[in-house]
């Protein structure tokens, strides 16, 4: 892949046409280099913005360009490029950033990235995380953060992903890398499950050894079986509570009725006693009493006594008749009450039988919930038991897998040593240009530690704590990936002027001499944005004709702070990094 042009639908934009091969520089100048006027700096003329625009046209995530699109409504940007001598054009508009026009066909950014992935990289099947967007930053670092670490130019969530990207571009077997990652992830999954179990209050005692798992499970199974048996014979009455209330009412009524029957019986018995009592007093008895008292009983009193005797007998007779009538009435009422008692008793007995044969729904629910709780407790303990067993097996198996994988990887690295030596020595020769007395090289070793990383890849330059050593390492590593890397079809490196900040003047000069030497006669591109002050520093250390040949003749665009029209967009707009 070679970049040929960057342009826009807006006439104010400064179109950038790159040299098809060799060097292409975008130079940022100040009109008055010594001026302290606010805003008159190398920043803001569009150097880094150019990098962002290229990534925008090459399928970068739209969510990272929200402010960019808001600040530039109606703008459309395009990048022309070649892959295997075939020309491509990618256009993307700020008004519809989720679509890209590739060779006049409008497609989604996902589809575009898949297409570019197949054109630019040889990604094996079933390898996760390797994509066009994860790998293209190694050739055009997108942000300021991209210049912090040589092996992390783009957004990298984990160290494993960073290793995978670098291993892939260096030609290492990424299947081996993913194998260790998979083994380690499984180990971490089991450990995480165990950790979650340890936080469970139910299982905490088992981890501390205060409870026996096997005996606890036996006890739980017995309790669950008893509840299961009870519930299987459980007859649920949804109207249980209503029946219970009716039984209580009938029982109260029956109690009251029985009391009434008893009271009636007592009244009947009292009448019987009253009927049995009959005072034996008649006329002759009264006369005898008078004779015994020696009181003369007048003759005229005899008639009165006869009348009194008749009256008394009549009174007794009426009383008996009245008591018998009253008794008969009570007996009739008692008979009716007893009949009512019998009916109520039968009804009450039926209600009690129903209640005896059935249970309340809420009791059934309560027992069911308890049964469910016991089963959940049993299942959790079983899971813990299974996890412990699984963990021991996994741990032993993982140890075996790690040992086997280490042996395979070490054997593999031995077999490909000629290829890794090429990488090591190429990086070393580049580093020696800048640090001739330092130990340097690109080392690739097997990582047998308990982690997700199968390889140790380290770009080394052992030197003093120079501010620019990290920049030199990035420079050497990127060129190594470009010229000696594998699995890619990218033929350019695009560096931002940030790479040259803080680098010693002589080393900076050596960088430009090196890219001229490496790219001048190659079919590859080296593109860089450069500040005028950086070029002025370089000019001190090379001859004019050499400066002309390396820099001047390869400057494809000059941006200045003289006016907004001289900046990349040609307008005044503030677009912060996102």
């Amino acid at each position: 892949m070679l970049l040929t042009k960057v342009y826009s639908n807006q006439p104010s934009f400064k179109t950038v046409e790159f040299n098809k091969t060799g060097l292409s520089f975008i130079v940022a100048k100040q009109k008055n280099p010594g001026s302290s006027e606010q805003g008159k700096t190398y920043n803001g003329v569009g150097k880094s913005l150019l990098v962002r625009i290229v990534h925008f046209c090459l399928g970068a995530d739209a969510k990272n360009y929200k402010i960019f699109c808001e600040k530039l409504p109606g703008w459309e940007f395009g990048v022309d490029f070649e892959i295997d001598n075939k020309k491509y054009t990618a256009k993307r508009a700020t008004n519809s950033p989720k679509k890209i026009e590739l060779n006049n066909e409008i497609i989604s950014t996902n589809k575009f990235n898949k297409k570019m992935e197949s054109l630019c990289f040889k990604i094996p099947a079933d390898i996760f995380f390797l994509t066009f967007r994860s790998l293209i930053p190694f050739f055009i670092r997108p942000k300021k953060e991209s210049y912090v670490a040589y092996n992390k130019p783009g957004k990298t969530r984990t160290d494993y992903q960073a290793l995978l990207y670098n291993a892939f571009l260096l030609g290492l077997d990424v299947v081996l890398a993913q194998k260790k990652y998979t083994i380690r992830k499984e180990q971490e999954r089991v450990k995480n499950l165990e950790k979650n179990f340890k936080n469970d209050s139910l299982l905490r005692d088992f981890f501390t050894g205060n409870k026996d798992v096997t005996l606890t499970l036996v006890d739980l199974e017995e309790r669950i079986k008893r509840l299961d048996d009870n519930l299987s014979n459980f007859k649920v009455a949804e109207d249980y509570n209503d029946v219970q209330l009716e039984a209580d009412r009938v029982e109260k009524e029956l109690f009251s009725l029985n009391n009434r029957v008893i009271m009636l019986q007592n009244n009947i018995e009292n009448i019987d006693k009253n009927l049995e009592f009959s005072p034996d007093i008649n006329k002759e008895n009264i006369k005898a009493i008078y004779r015994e008292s020696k009181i003369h009983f007048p003759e005229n009193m005899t008639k009165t006594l006869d009348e009194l005797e008749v009256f008394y007998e009549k009174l007794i007779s009426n009383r008996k008749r009245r008591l018998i009538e009253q008794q008969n009435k009570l007996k009739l009422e008692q008979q009716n009450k007893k009949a009512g008692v019998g009916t109520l008793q039968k009804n009450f007995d039926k209600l009690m039988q129903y209640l005896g044969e059935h249970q309340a729904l809420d009791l059934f629910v309560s027992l069911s919930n308890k049964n469910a709780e016991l089963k959940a407790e049993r299942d959790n303990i079983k899971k813990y038991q299974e996890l412990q067993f699984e963990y021991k097996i996994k741990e032993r198996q993982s140890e075996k897998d790690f040992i086997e994988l280490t042996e395979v990887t070490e054997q593999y690295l031995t077999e490909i040593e000629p290829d890794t030596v090429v990488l090591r020595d190429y990086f070393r020769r580049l580093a020696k240009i800048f640090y001739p007395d330092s130990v340097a090289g690109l080392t690739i070793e097997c990582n047998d530690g308990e982690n997700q990383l199968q390889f140790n890849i380290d770009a080394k330059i052992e030197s003093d704590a120079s501010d620019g050593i990290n920049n030199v390492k990035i420079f050497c590593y990127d060129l190594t990936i470009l010229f000696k890397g594998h699995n890619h079809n990218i033929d350019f490196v695009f560096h931002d002027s940030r790479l040259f900040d803080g680098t010693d003047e002589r080393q900076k000069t050596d960088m430009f001499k090196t890219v001229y030497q490496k790219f001048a006669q190659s079919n590859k591109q080296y593109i860089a944005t450069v500040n005028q002050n950086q070029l002025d520093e370089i000019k001190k250390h090379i001859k004019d004709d050499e400066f002309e040949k390396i820099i001047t003749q390869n400057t494809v665009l000059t941006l200045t702070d003289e006016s907004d029209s001289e900046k990349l967009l040609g307008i005044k707009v503030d677009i912060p990094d996102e």
Side-chain angles (χ1 to χ4, degrees), residues 522-549:
S522 74
N523 60 348
K524 302 183 186 298
Q525 292 175 309
Y526 182 80
I527 304 169
T529 61
V530 193
N531 293 332
Q532 182 62 50
N533 65 322
Q534 295 167 341
L535 295 180
D536 292 341
E537 292 171 348
I538 294 169
K539 200 170 186 178
K540 298 177 186 176
H541 303 282
I542 60 175
K543 298 178 180 178
D544 290 344
D545 60 338
E546 193 173 9
F547 185 87
E548 175 75 17
K549 182 172 55 177

Side-chain angles (χ1 to χ4, degrees), residues 552-566:
T552 307
Q553 292 180 8
N554 292 302
T555 299
V556 297
L557 179 67
T558 300
L559 303 172
T560 73
D561 61 354
E562 183 175 355
S563 66
D564 293 331
S565 63
E566 298 301 313

Side-chain angles (χ1 to χ4, degrees), residues 73-90:
W75 281 64
E76 181 183 84
F77 296 95
V79 171
D80 290 348
F81 55 93
E82 292 184 12
I83 300 177
D84 295 330
N85 295 318
K86 183 178 178 180
K87 295 183 178 181
Y88 294 87
T89 295

